[in-house]
Amino acid sequence: MNNRIKVLRAERDWSQQALADRLGVSRQAVNAVERSKHDPSLQLAFNIAAQFGERIEDVFFPETQSNLEDC
């Protein structure tokens, strides 16, 4: 699942650690979600969106159809 976490963090000048602290998770967890190496739980996805004051669908979005066809 793709996301806009890195962009949203940069807009607020937050480090991964700062976001992790706000969410109550590790920096490694934020990094894995941000890099699309791990899909967050639904609760974590909602919490991430809430930290940025965004709707979940404005933070997270599925891979494009063309990316799925490459698999």
Side-chain angles (χ1 to χ4, degrees):
M1 180 180 329
N2 293 323
N3 64 72
R4 299 178 46 235
I5 296 172
K6 186 173 184 176
V7 171
L8 294 167
R9 279 193 314 100
E11 290 174 355
R12 290 156 180 81
D13 199 29
W14 292 352
S15 66
Q16 287 182 341
Q17 185 63 57
L19 178 57
D21 291 344
R22 290 171 172 267
L23 296 168
V25 300
S26 69
R27 183 201 57 80
Q28 292 85 351
V30 169
N31 181 271
V33 172
E34 184 175 292
R35 297 180 64 214
S36 299
K37 300 294 183 189
H38 175 73
D39 288 338
S41 68
L42 188 56
Q43 184 62 52
L44 180 55
F46 273 108
N47 289 345
I48 291 169
Q51 286 300 315
F52 294 119
E54 300 274 346
R55 297 180 315 160
I56 193 168
E57 58 268 25
D58 293 332
V59 177
F60 296 94
F61 45 94
E63 294 180 29
T64 62
Q65 185 63 32
S66 62
N67 287 347
L68 294 175
E69 292 171 356
D70 293 340
C71 295

